[in-house]
Structure formats: C-alpha cells, structure tokens
Amino acid sequence: MLAYTLKRLLAGGITVWFIATATFVAMHQVPGDPLMNDKAVTPEIRKNLEQKYGLDKSATEQYFIFLGNMLRGDFGISFTQQNRRVNDIIRDHFPVSATLGLLAIFFAATGGVLWGALTAIYRNRLPDIIIMFLVILGISVPSFVFAALGQLLLVNINSMLGQSLIPVAGWGTFAHMLMPSLVLGLGTMAFLTRLMRSSMLEVVNEEYIKTARAKGLSPVRIFFRHQLRNAILPVITVLGPQVAAITTGGFVVELVFAIPGLGRYFVQAVQQLDYTVIMGTTVFYGAFLVFMVILVDIIYGFVDPRVRLE
Amino acid sequence: MNNRILEVEDLSVEFSTYGGDVKAVRGVSFAVTRGETMAIVGESGCGKSVTVQAIMGIIPMPPGRITSGSAKLDGNELLGLSPKEANEFRGIQIGMIFQDPMTSLNPTMTIGDQIAETLVVHRHKTYAEASRQAIDLLEKTHIPEAAKRVTQYPFEFSGGMLQRAMIAQSLACNPSILIADEPTTALDVTIQGQILELMDELQRTENMSIILITHDLAVVARMADEVAVMYAGQIVESGSVEDIFYESSHPYTLGLKSAMPSNIGDRDKKLTPIIGSPPDLFSPPHGCGYFARCPYAMRMCEDMQPTNFSVQRTEDHHARCWLQHEAAPAVAEVSQSNQDKDNAG
Amino acid sequence: MTDITSFQPSDEDFARVKTDLAVEQISRPSLSYWQDAWVRLKKNTRATISLYIVIGLAVFTLLGPVFWQVDSSLQDLNQISQAPSLPKTAALVGAYKRWDGIILEDFPAEPEAYAKSVAAVTELRAFEAATTQQVRITWNPTPGAGGYNIYRNHRAPEDFNDLGLPLGSTFGGNEVSYEDRLSLESRAYYYSIVPTDGYDEYEVYTVTAITPQMIITVNDARGRNLITADEENNLGQEIRLEFHPFGTDYLGRDMLARLMEGARVSLFIGIVAPFIYVIFGIIYGGFAGYFGGRLDVLLMRFADFVVALPFLLFMILFKIAFGIGPGESGIFPMLVTLALLLWPATARLVRGQVLQIREQGYIEAARLLGAKPSYLILRHIIPNTMGVILVTLTFAVPAAIFTEAFLSFIGMGVAPPTPSWGSMCNEGIKTMLSHPHELIFPATFISVTVLAFNLLGDGLTEALDSRMRSRE
C-alpha cells in the first residue's frame, strides 16, 4: 500500500511538472511580452520591470528560476495588481472555492448514492421513472443554466416570503453556500445516480447475493451489508475525475453567484492576461487536481480489499 | 414414514421473459431420505438448479413464479412463505452451496465475517463468539491455518479453499439438509475429489442429507444413494443409484450413460453423444420431451405425455417413458417393467 | 392431451418412428449484427425520438439559413429584447420633431404659499397619438402645485408607492406636459402624475393608461429595405416590420438567425472534435492492444498521464499560446485542446476491446488459416469494436457541446458578434429576469441536443450489447 501510494505520488509529481512546463512554454509562446500593454513607458522603467520579473534572463534560465520558485511554493507577483502576491491571492480565495467544491461533492455523492439505490429498489416503477427522468435532465442541462435557475428560484422564494431568507448571491454564511453548492453538485449527482443504479442492478444479479439469501439473511441486511457496499465501489472510483469536473464547474457558479473564489479570479486573470496569476493558479489547480485523484484512489484502496493488497 | 425429510410434490416453475413464459420446471416430485444423498442429474438448462432454488425460495420473483406444487420439510410447507418465515429454515435447516465459489462469496467481506454472519443472525451470537466458531468450522472443512484464514478476503483463497469455506458457512447452524448445486463443476479434477470426499465425511459426522445437483454421472455414482434424472423440466427417471446405473429404464439415462467414459468393458468403444438439443421450454412439447432425440421413439410419444411408470424390479424405481407400458415393444438395452420379454421379442 | 388413465394404446401407437435429428428448427429470422442492432434501436422509442431530434437539428443548422435569410448580427434598436411574437406592423412616420411642451401662461409657476395638501391633477391625457417614438402627455394644472413628477409603470399602480419608474419632473405649476421617449414598446403603460412643491411630493396621484402605436420612421424603414425610396409620401401607412418568431436579443438581433448560426458553431465543435479524438483514440488504443507487451505498457502509461492533465487549464494555455486575445474567437484552440486531451478514454476502451478480441478463438483460427495482421485487424478486430466505438462517439458529442457552451459562457469560446449557444446563454443570463426568452431558447437548444445524443447513446448501447441479444 505504501509503495503504491509512493508510486502514485511520483507519477503525480511528474504530471504537475509537465503542467508547469507546459504553462511556462505556453506563456513564452505569446506574441509580444507581458509588459507590452502597460506601465513600461520609458526604457528605464521597462528595464527595471524586466529586472523585477526576471524577464531579462534567457528562457532556460527563466525556466529553472520558475521551477525553483514553484518548488518553493512561490508563485510571484500579480501583473495587474502590482502589490499583490499570487500566493496571497490563492490563500485568500482558494478556501472559498474549496469549501464550495467540497460541499458540492458531498451533495453529489450522498445524493447520487441515495437516489441510485432508490431507483434500483424501485426498478421500472414510478419512483425510478421519475428520478431517472430528472437524472437525464440533470445530465443534459448545462451548469450555468442551473445556476441561473437556482438564482431565479431564490429570488422568487425571497419575494414570496417577503424577506431575504437565503441570499441570492455573495458569500459568507452557510445560507450563502447552500444554493451554489447544490447547483454545482447537480450534474455530478445525476451522473453518480445513473452509475449507482446500474451498479446496484449488476450487484443484485451476483451469485453472492444468492448465497446471502440462501443463508437466510433478511432483505434489509442483504441490502446494506452485501449489495450497497459492493455497488458503491464504482461510484468511488469516478469520484476523483469528478472532482476535476466540479472544480471547473465552480468557475461558472462563482461567476453567476458572485462568489469571491479562486475560479472567478482565474477567469478574470485570463481575460486580463495576468500572466503570473495564470501561471500560478494553473500549476496550483493542476497540483490540486492530481492530488485529489490520488487521494480518492487511496481511499478506494481502503474500501476495496482487492486493491489494498495489490 | 418419517425417514423422508424433504418431500417435493408436483413442483412447477415458470419465468416470464420478453419472449414469453419459460416453463423451466414442469411437475417435479421427489423425496429425500434422512442422512442419505439424493442426486439430481441432467444436462444444462434442464431445470435442476431452478428446482432447488425454488425450494429455497431464492428464485427472483418476478420474473420467476412457482405455479404449482409443495415442498415439505419434516412436514412443514416451504413454498409460498414470507421472506421472514422462509428465513426460519434457510441457513438453519437447509444449507446451500453453489457452483462457482469464486463469485458466490461477497468480495468485500472477510471469510470469517461471512461465516459469522449466519451465526449472528440465526443464533444471536456476538461477532466475537461467532468469529471463534467460524475458525472451528473452517477447521472442520480442513482449511489449514484457519485462525489466519478467517481474516482474509475471498480473493485471497483458491477455488477449492473457497468451496470449503462455502461448505463451512452452510454448516454453521448444523442444517439437516445440504443442497450442493454443482459444487465441483468450476473446480479442477483433483480438487473435485477432495471436495466430494469432504462432503462425504461431513455427511457421516453431521448426519445430514445432501441434495447434490450435477451433470457428472461419475460424481453421481460416487456420492448418491438415490438419483433423479431430469430432462426438459421433468424427472424422467428416478430410483436408487443401482437402479439408475444397472437397470436404466429411460432412453435418456441410457444416452447419458453411453456418453460417459468408462474404464470397464471395451476400451475401443467410442463415446456416443446424444444428438440434437433439448426442446424449447417456451412451448414445451405435448408429448415426451425426449421424443425428437430418442432412438426408440414411437408414434404415440410425439403427442402423448408419458406417465410415470414404476419399473418392476424395485418399488422406488420410476421412469417416465412409454416403453414401460405393458403393451410396448421390448428394447434390449432398456430394463422393462410389467411385461413378458418373450412375448414381445 | 388424451386422458391417460382411460387411454388404451393400440399397436399402431407403438410403431417405431424415425425422428429427424439433424434438423434443428430455426424459429427466428437471421439478421446480421447491424441489422439486428437497427431493429432493436427502432424498437426503443426514446432512442428513435432522439434520432429524429438529431436529424431535425442537422436540418435546422444546415438548411435553416437557406429559408431564414436574416443577418444574425443586424441590430434593430427599435425592437430590442422582444419576446417571441407573430409578425408586427408599424405605421410609417416622418423624422422626430422637437416638441417644446406646454407652459400655461395664465397659471402661476409657483403658488403664493405652499399648502399642506393639494388636489390631484385632472384630465391627464395623451397630447397627440402616442407612438413608440414618443408619448406626449398633458394634464390640467392643480392649484398650489410648484411642479410635477411623472412616473410610468407596466401595470395599474395599487397605491402611491407603486407608481413605477420615475421618468422626470417639471419645475413649475404651469408646466403641464411631458414627453416620454424612454425605450417605448407597443404595450399598455400607466402614467402617473404627482404634484410637488418643487421638491417634495404631495401624496396624491392621477393615472392614465396609454398604449403607444408601433411606428417606424421613413429613414429607418428605408435603411432596412422595408420600403422603396419613393414611398415617402405614404406617411401613416401600415408597413410590415421584420418578423422575429423567436424574438430578439438585447441588441435587437434576430434570435432565430442567431440560434441557427450558434448551432453551426456548437455542432461543429460537438461533432468534429469527438471525431478527431475518437479516431486518434482508436488508432492509439488499437495499436497498443494489438501489439501488446512493453509497447502497450508504455503507451498506456502515457495515456494515463494525459488523462491527469486538467482540461480547462490547457484550453486556456493553448488559447494564450496561439496568441488569441480575450476578445477573439477561441474555437480553434478549443478544437485542439479537445483533440489533444480527450483521446485517452477512447484509446483505453479500444485497447481493452482489442485485447479481449485478440484472445478469441476465431482470431486464433483465422491466424492458423494464414491471415495476415492487416486482414485480422480490418476483417475481425475493427468490425467487432465498432459497436463500442459508435457508442463512445455518441456520448462524446454531448460532452463536447457542453464544453463549448461552458467555455463560451465564461467568455473563452466564440468572439462576438458570432453567436454560439453558450455565448447566447451568457448574454441571456444578464436579462434573465426581464426577458427570460433570451436565456431559455439557447439553453433549451443545448439541453435538447445533449439529451438527444445521450438518449441515442443509451439506445445504441442497449441495441449493440450482445449480452442483451439472447435475452429476447
């Protein structure tokens, strides 16, 4: 298990390194240079700025400096907000995105397992048909439409109640987090429900369920101890990649709900071509996603004994 | 008579599918004697597994449906019980093991927990007590290092070991009947022998009856006291193991025998396969199910369902074949019932 | 069946018959794999409907512009954010002429003393025929007022606090007219006049409902080719305006034309990108699977690595690397990113299939008969993986459409004025509360398209799944 974890971490490290390199190369492919569009009015200022950002050195030198800084966790200073370090931006805004994402994953996973199990129990009967219709809808409607509809719903609820019970936008309290994380988790929830349903139906036909019945176990016990646990396994495996989907989905939800998360900052930075912020957040996000996938795989190892002992 | 522990009468099972109803079991009756082994033999799809699963009440319903019959365990009806009532005998009075031990155990639970579970549920023991007993049970089935093995998962066991664990699990509550549904089919030959030996031994020590389902006549010959030969959802011949092997009265039994390798008699003799395939049980034939493949088929066999004739020599030997009719022409290979061979010859 | 107990067989019955063992009855018609799949797909209602929707979308995208020749970027500021409607007509009028308003000379601009309360104004009325160019209203002055505030509402006001949008004020008790030119539409407006003391309002008001007539100026009409140049004399004549069956967006652009053009972008990405990466995935996975061994391990390691790369980040990097600024079209980098990053899933699937098929007996048999690898691949392996590939392709389409919509939504996709469904949603979301159709239409198109492809994919999976075949 330890060897497996180390192997995965090593592969993850290589992936992050590749992301960092690709980021660096991409940034150097841009026609012109980062200082073109603003403050470098006179050659002296330009020279000073180039020195400040290390742009006067050769590309290889810059690359190694960049890698070194990344290794030390130093992402540099923002181009558009000269007095802000990228590290501070990440520190200020990432917790917000992470909270949103974790809540969304939580909603998606619990909802997916619950609805999936329910549809499997009521296979081809009314609850199954209704839930599966909603699931198909959830898979087919883009997240930003859900975000807009969610906001619209809140506006209507609030105007009906005559008071602002749940805030329509912004961040701070749990009430703020509720709707955005629900909206963010919806697509994943639909996907997981579908997966859980087919997984449940597959497990029902397994021989060991027949054995459990022949042992004289009650249906409830069979459901919880034999069926559910085995059916959840494939759901856990896809959770890692789904973290990535939720993270990128978070960009939109943060935009629509005016949440001060890193995603919104990232989109802004891209629109303003704030190079250091783009580079920093790209590498940071990349490392985060790679780490999450590894984490989920390791957790999976604890749930499925077959993986644990490999 | 009280030495009949399980009596099955006229059991019929249907499955509804997209293509229509499959009549998988059509009026099966048999009885199991206390402490003896009853073998049900027949080719794939003849309904032998469905029969025992119907008795155990583990046929998925829907699509399955028991359309008629009764199964009495010590005089108590087993069919049509609620899940709660059924769990009063499943795993307690009747234990069951399956064909493929690799897939018949829950992959995410330890062997020990799966054995203990039965005891926890039926004998209301704590998991700690039950786990200790699980070790004893594994030792009883000759699994080495049982104390270590209980904490392992099914994928860490070999096929033969898993089948032993399955047997240990089914023995947890000292059942009076063990149903073994093709217990050795998925195992290789040497392991097969060991498992059969184990079952034989346990039958003696635990004094239980075994219902052994198999398609392997060699296994039948080795294990069984009584035999029922199934074909197309019906029992076509039943009797003691001697009756079936030495006084075969149904052409299908003869066919099975001549398809089996033997080390006695003519070594150059070729095995004879039974040509053709069993009838489509979507619409079972009016007459004898074996008509189309039978080398002794008669005109009446096509449309007339044969009665279950009793073969003369012993009381309990029956065959569902018109050749057993008193007026039927004699056939040399088939042992005949109420008729005078000289007359017909 | 005859009653057996009373049945007495005759010798005839015991006559030996010869059964024909060789003939097995084949009760079902023999269909090829694809024929069978097609038959079963057609039986699946949801998949069939989806198939029709997909065909309908293709027609909408390809043939739509032939029948609906409206410029998707033409702005019509007279008809912004209009809901879907039937064709509209408008009266032809001349150019706007200034109006000085009405200032009564025999009425004091300021009363001698401001009273605690005054009476509401009377005879609030339209000064002349109200049009969407301007609404001119006038009223009788109320004694004691030093000015008036003018409000407009979409519904009849319930009380003093519900007068609606404040349009403006007049300063003088004798200034009893107001000209409203604020984005007028052809609908009922409720104008309210509240007398003031010059600063503060008296809590009385007078309401009148006015419905302006839809008009278009001669110059405007000529500019839009609605009339010929010499039709100038027919002022007051009703002419037909451009028809916007799906309404217009916030710049008065025709929604139908934009949806059609947006479909082109969305479906282009949705179909071309999966096509590229699925083909690449087939080649890559087939190669790895067929040759196996260390090459396979190496190739699949690389695929695992590519899977780990975050998609959106690379999309943005590519966009920057191609030197495409924030305002420019990101369609090409989108295509490149999709093609470069999404192939591993297909590759892995195809590899698994090939590995499985390679071990099948019929491959071994063909090899023993002297079949060359190229023959094996073309004749046996590819046809047997086709089902899986087709299903992958069907599911890849909605994923790509989603990606395009998502990127266009956050402003990384198409550049304005080119519409795509995603960018239309982005624009529509801003006016969601007042003009929901601007969001609803593109969102519905995305959803229905994705839904159709998903259901079609489900149907195909079921139809091509050979395990299901024997169940029927």
Side-chain angles (χ1 to χ4, degrees):
Chain A
M1 194 67 195
L2 187 73
Y4 169 77
T5 311
L6 285 177
K7 217 170 97 186
R8 288 300 310 269
L9 282 175
L10 185 71
I14 295 173
T15 311
V16 176
W17 168 70
F18 183 82
I19 293 170
T21 308
T23 316
F24 182 82
V25 172
M27 289 299 159
H28 274 259
Q29 286 299 309
V30 184
D33 66 63
L35 300 177
M36 204 169 55
N37 49 357
D38 47 19
K39 288 106 191 163
V41 221
T42 65
E44 290 87 60
I45 296 176
R46 191 184 171 84
K47 214 167 168 196
N48 282 339
L49 280 174
E50 276 184 354
Q51 244 168 9
K52 180 178 174 187
Y53 291 114
L55 293 173
D56 51 347
K57 299 195 176 73
S58 75
T60 353
E61 223 173 321
Q62 283 185 46
Y63 174 64
F64 283 111
I65 292 171
F66 167 75
L67 275 192
N69 287 342
M70 289 288 153
L71 273 180
R72 274 183 282 115
D74 177 9
F75 294 120
I77 302 160
S78 165
F79 271 102
T80 48
Q81 294 163 285
Q82 306 267 341
N83 49 357
R84 259 193 113 183
R85 286 158 43 79
V86 179
N87 288 39
D88 294 335
I89 294 175
I90 293 176
R91 191 180 310 125
D92 290 350
H93 299 284
F94 179 67
V96 175
S97 294
T99 315
L100 181 69
L102 280 179
L103 261 179
I105 280 278
F106 173 75
F107 281 133
T110 46
V113 168
L114 198 74
W115 299 127
L118 216 62
T119 49
I121 294 171
Y122 287 99
R123 186 185 186 186
N124 291 341
R125 279 182 281 165
L126 196 64
D128 178 31
I129 293 166
I130 292 172
I131 294 173
M132 286 321 282
F133 176 76
L134 292 177
V135 161
I136 290 282
L137 216 62
I139 289 173
S140 304
V141 175
S143 59
F144 49 81
V145 175
F146 277 129
L149 291 178
Q151 237 179 358
L152 201 61
L153 185 72
L154 285 185
V155 169
N156 283 328
I157 289 176
N158 286 342
S159 76
M160 239 165 55
L161 295 175
Q163 56 172 330
S164 184
L165 193 68
I166 302 165
V168 174
W171 194 249
T173 64
F174 183 69
H176 281 104
M177 301 173 191
L178 207 60
M179 185 55 94
S181 49
L182 262 179
V183 162
L184 183 54
L186 219 51
T188 303
M189 192 197 288
F191 173 73
L192 293 182
T193 304
R194 227 166 111 121
L195 188 67
M196 182 71 190
R197 179 178 186 267
S198 62
S199 171
M200 285 287 284
L201 293 179
E202 221 161 88
V203 170
V204 168
N205 291 326
E206 290 284 352
E207 286 288 310
Y208 54 81
I209 298 295
K210 212 184 266 173
T211 307
R213 294 176 66 195
K215 268 157 81 175
L217 305 185
S218 68
V220 177
R221 194 181 178 91
I222 294 174
F223 179 80
F224 282 107
R225 288 192 57 106
H226 294 271
Q227 202 182 344
L228 203 59
R229 176 158 177 185
N230 284 292
I232 282 178
L233 294 180
V235 175
I236 296 174
T237 30
V238 299
L239 226 48
Q242 282 301 310
V243 171
I246 290 227
T247 313
T248 42
F251 293 6
V252 164
V253 173
E254 284 173 20
L255 278 179
V256 174
F257 283 92
I259 295 166
L262 192 57
R264 199 165 63 128
Y265 224 93
F266 180 62
V267 174
Q268 238 173 50
V270 170
Q271 280 161 356
Q272 296 169 348
L273 287 183
D274 191 335
Y275 291 92
T276 38
V277 176
I278 298 176
M279 286 162 101
T281 36
T282 303
V283 175
F284 178 77
Y285 262 130
F288 173 71
L289 293 181
V290 167
F291 178 71
M292 284 309 280
V293 172
I294 295 174
L295 190 70
V296 169
D297 281 357
I298 291 171
I299 291 173
Y300 183 78
F302 280 103
V303 187
D304 190 344
R306 283 165 291 190
V307 177
R308 199 185 308 162
L309 283 134
E310 258 168 37
Chain B
M1 203 153 73
N2 202 19
N3 70 341
R4 296 297 205 198
I5 183 159
L6 179 73
E7 283 177 298
V8 178
E9 278 300 325
D10 190 34
L11 177 69
S12 295
V13 183
E14 289 182 7
F15 288 92
S16 24
T17 68
Y18 293 112
D21 288 348
V22 179
K23 295 165 187 71
V25 176
R26 304 184 290 152
V28 161
S29 307
F30 63 90
V32 180
T33 311
R34 203 176 292 277
E36 291 199 343
T37 300
M38 153 105 193
I40 302 179
V41 62
E43 64 193 272
S44 311
C46 72
K48 50 195 194 302
S49 286
V50 175
T51 304
V52 288
Q53 286 178 14
I55 296 167
M56 283 298 270
I58 56 172
I59 284 180
M61 304 196 229
R65 195 163 69 245
I66 295 175
T67 47
S68 74
S70 79
K72 288 200 172 73
L73 178 71
D74 274 333
N76 300 319
E77 180 61 54
L78 301 182
L79 300 185
L81 295 179
S82 73
K84 206 171 169 182
E85 292 165 334
N87 286 342
E88 298 291 311
F89 79 85
R90 286 201 287 234
I92 303 174
Q93 284 167 285
I94 307 182
M96 187 162 179
I97 59 174
F98 294 92
Q99 176 173 356
D100 185 358
M102 302 290 200
T103 58
S104 299
L105 284 161
N106 185 341
T108 56
M109 268 171 95
T110 63
I111 298 288
D113 279 351
Q114 295 190 56
I115 298 173
E117 193 176 26
T118 321
L119 291 163
V120 170
V121 170
H122 294 310
R123 297 281 184 256
H124 308 291
K125 299 206 159 142
T126 64
Y127 259 98
E129 285 172 342
S131 298
R132 269 196 301 280
Q133 205 172 332
I135 299 174
D136 296 342
L137 284 162
L138 284 185
E139 273 167 355
K140 208 187 256 180
T141 54
H142 309 304
I143 289 182
E145 296 181 274
K148 197 181 122 204
R149 286 293 198 168
V150 281
T151 58
Q152 290 187 329
Y153 288 91
F155 71 98
E156 297 169 78
F157 274 53
S158 68
M161 285 294 166
L162 277 180
Q163 198 59 293
R164 283 170 195 270
M166 277 293 284
I167 293 172
Q169 174 179 263
S170 61
L171 292 183
C173 298
N174 301 315
S176 39
I177 301 179
L178 175 69
I179 299 179
D181 188 353
E182 308 219 21
T184 55
T185 309
L187 306 174
D188 59 56
V189 184
T190 48
I191 309 293
Q192 271 186 24
Q194 292 171 14
I195 295 291
L196 292 176
E197 204 168 288
L198 174 69
M199 284 171 59
D200 219 13
E201 178 197 326
L202 289 170
Q203 177 170 35
R204 270 181 277 114
T205 55
E206 310 286 310
N207 189 31
M208 58 182 184
S209 309
I210 293 179
I211 300 178
L212 178 68
I213 293 176
T214 180
H215 58 253
D216 187 347
L217 283 183
V219 171
V220 175
R222 172 168 177 181
M223 299 287 293
D225 300 305
E226 284 166 90
V227 182
V229 181
M230 265 190 97
Y231 183 77
Q234 291 176 321
I235 292 183
V236 291
E237 184 172 0
S238 59
S240 70
V241 67
E242 290 82 11
D243 290 339
I244 299 295
F245 277 93
Y246 301 119
E247 302 284 331
S248 312
S249 306
H250 195 284
Y252 179 62
T253 317
L254 282 172
L256 284 181
K257 263 169 66 188
S258 52
M260 185 178 87
S262 153
N263 57 0
I264 36 172
D266 189 358
R267 283 182 184 244
D268 297 328
K269 196 182 143 202
K270 287 198 175 130
L271 294 179
T272 329
I274 303 177
I275 304 165
S277 53
D280 192 353
L281 291 178
F282 280 107
S283 48
H286 293 299
C288 174
Y290 195 57
F291 169 74
R293 302 166 83 182
C294 183
Y296 315 109
M298 300 176 293
R299 184 161 297 158
M300 65 193 304
C301 301
E302 184 165 10
D303 294 314
M304 302 283 291
Q305 185 75 248
T307 16
N308 206 10
F309 292 97
S310 98
V311 184
Q312 201 179 31
R313 221 177 65 89
T314 49
E315 189 183 327
D316 286 335
H317 188 189
H318 296 274
R320 197 178 272 277
C321 179
W322 283 123
L323 287 174
Q324 300 300 326
H325 193 278
E326 51 197 356
V331 174
E333 294 86 344
V334 178
S335 90
Q336 307 252 310
S337 62
N338 317 311
Q339 60 173 327
D340 189 350
K341 282 180 188 177
D342 297 340
N343 286 352
Chain C
M1 206 195 291
T2 326
D3 186 7
I4 284 166
T5 46
S6 62
F7 172 64
Q8 290 299 323
S10 62
D11 283 354
E12 182 83 336
D13 287 321
F14 289 115
R16 189 64 48 81
V17 289
K18 196 114 185 95
T19 52
D20 198 350
L21 294 169
V23 178
E24 270 188 69
Q25 282 189 344
I26 296 168
S27 50
R28 294 183 220 185
S30 165
L31 293 174
S32 78
Y33 179 61
W34 293 104
Q35 280 173 326
D36 178 67
W38 177 240
V39 166
R40 266 177 314 130
L41 188 68
K42 277 197 293 189
K43 254 195 243 165
N44 184 333
T45 332
R46 291 195 301 181
T48 318
I49 294 172
S50 302
L51 190 63
Y52 285 131
I53 291 177
V54 169
I55 293 170
L57 275 167
V59 171
F60 178 78
T61 317
L62 297 174
L63 293 183
V66 176
F67 294 105
W68 190 251
Q69 292 172 324
V70 174
D71 183 357
S72 70
S73 55
L74 184 70
Q75 302 180 1
D76 181 357
L77 294 176
N78 284 329
Q79 298 199 59
I80 59 169
S81 295
Q82 286 207 337
S85 64
L86 294 172
K88 283 182 179 165
T89 57
L92 202 58
V93 297
Y96 170 74
K97 292 197 185 70
R98 232 179 79 80
W99 185 45
D100 291 331
I102 301 165
I103 296 172
L104 301 173
E105 285 173 12
D106 50 350
F107 197 83
E110 272 182 63
E112 280 153 28
Y114 285 104
K116 273 262 187 294
S117 64
V118 298
V121 301
T122 54
E123 277 192 58
L124 174 59
R125 61 198 183 269
F127 175 72
E128 54 180 37
T131 67
T132 50
Q133 195 173 41
Q134 78 271 327
V135 175
R136 291 167 178 169
I137 51 173
T138 182
W139 55 88
N140 287 352
T142 192
Y148 305 94
N149 283 350
I150 299 94
Y151 291 87
R152 188 179 88 184
N153 201 348
H154 287 327
R155 56 177 193 275
E158 286 164 16
D159 56 35
F160 189 74
N161 294 320
D162 189 30
L163 298 181
L165 181 74
L167 288 174
S169 312
T170 64
F171 300 96
N174 59 347
E175 203 181 328
V176 289
S177 69
Y178 185 80
E179 182 186 38
D180 176 19
R181 299 185 65 197
L182 186 70
S183 56
L184 288 162
E185 287 170 39
S186 180
R187 55 176 296 174
Y189 290 108
Y190 294 84
Y191 286 93
S192 309
I193 306 297
V194 177
T196 66
D197 60 6
Y199 299 99
D200 296 327
E201 295 181 333
Y202 292 107
E203 284 207 18
V204 287
Y205 67 98
T206 312
V207 187
T208 189
I210 291 170
T211 306
Q213 189 198 5
M214 191 76 195
I215 58 100
I216 184 166
T217 61
V218 174
N219 280 343
D220 217 1
R222 204 179 290 140
R224 312 185 143 269
N225 291 327
L226 296 173
I227 54 168
T228 51
D230 51 331
E231 258 184 304
E232 228 167 288
N233 306 329
N234 303 333
L235 286 187
Q237 177 203 351
E238 291 271 311
I239 60 162
R240 287 188 80 156
L241 288 179
E242 288 118 322
F243 176 35
H244 300 298
F246 281 58
T248 58
D249 72 355
Y250 72 111
L251 287 174
R253 295 176 291 195
D254 183 60
M255 287 288 282
L256 181 57
R258 287 180 72 72
L259 284 170
M260 279 173 187
E261 201 173 330
R264 229 173 299 161
V265 174
S266 295
L267 292 182
F268 173 74
I269 288 284
I271 287 165
V272 172
F275 217 76
I276 295 172
Y277 75 71
V278 165
I279 286 180
F280 182 71
I282 293 169
I283 296 171
Y284 192 95
F287 201 70
Y290 188 80
F291 291 100
R294 287 177 72 178
L295 184 71
D296 175 38
V297 173
L298 202 70
L299 287 175
M300 281 300 124
R301 254 313 130 67
F302 181 67
D304 284 346
F305 164 72
V306 173
V307 170
L309 300 178
F311 173 77
L312 187 72
L313 303 180
F314 272 78
M315 158 74 208
I316 289 160
L317 283 180
F318 279 123
K319 198 179 166 188
I320 294 169
F322 284 126
I324 293 165
E328 295 165 58
S329 170
I331 294 296
F332 184 65
M334 203 186 288
L335 209 59
V336 170
T337 324
L338 282 166
L340 281 182
L341 292 189
L342 295 186
W343 56 267
T346 321
R348 198 183 294 204
L349 198 72
V350 171
R351 169 184 171 266
Q353 285 281 311
V354 171
L355 277 181
Q356 214 179 348
I357 292 168
R358 210 178 55 159
E359 300 305 322
Q360 303 279 316
Y362 60 82
I363 296 287
E364 195 59 32
R367 195 173 308 170
L368 289 175
L369 287 171
K372 284 194 279 291
S374 59
Y375 177 84
L376 285 179
I377 292 172
L378 288 174
R379 190 73 192 90
H380 289 296
I381 295 180
I382 290 185
N384 279 301
T385 47
M386 251 355 243
V388 178
I389 289 166
L390 198 64
V391 170
T392 320
L393 200 60
T394 328
F395 282 122
V397 171
I401 290 176
F402 247 31
T403 308
E404 186 280 324
F406 170 73
L407 289 172
S408 292
F409 181 80
I410 62 172
M412 306 244 167
V414 294
T418 312
S420 89
W421 290 342
S423 68
M424 289 176 75
C425 282
N426 186 15
E427 288 158 4
I429 228 161
K430 292 167 192 154
T431 53
M432 176 177 81
L433 290 176
S434 50
H435 306 292
H437 72 277
E438 288 173 44
L439 173 63
I440 290 171
F441 281 125
T444 309
F445 268 88
I446 295 174
S447 305
V448 168
T449 310
V450 171
L451 186 72
F453 275 104
N454 274 332
L455 290 179
L456 192 62
D458 281 350
L460 274 179
T461 316
E462 277 171 30
L464 293 173
D465 192 344
S466 52
R467 277 178 306 170
M468 307 270 295
R469 253 183 132 182
S470 52
R471 265 187 230 164
E472 279 172 45

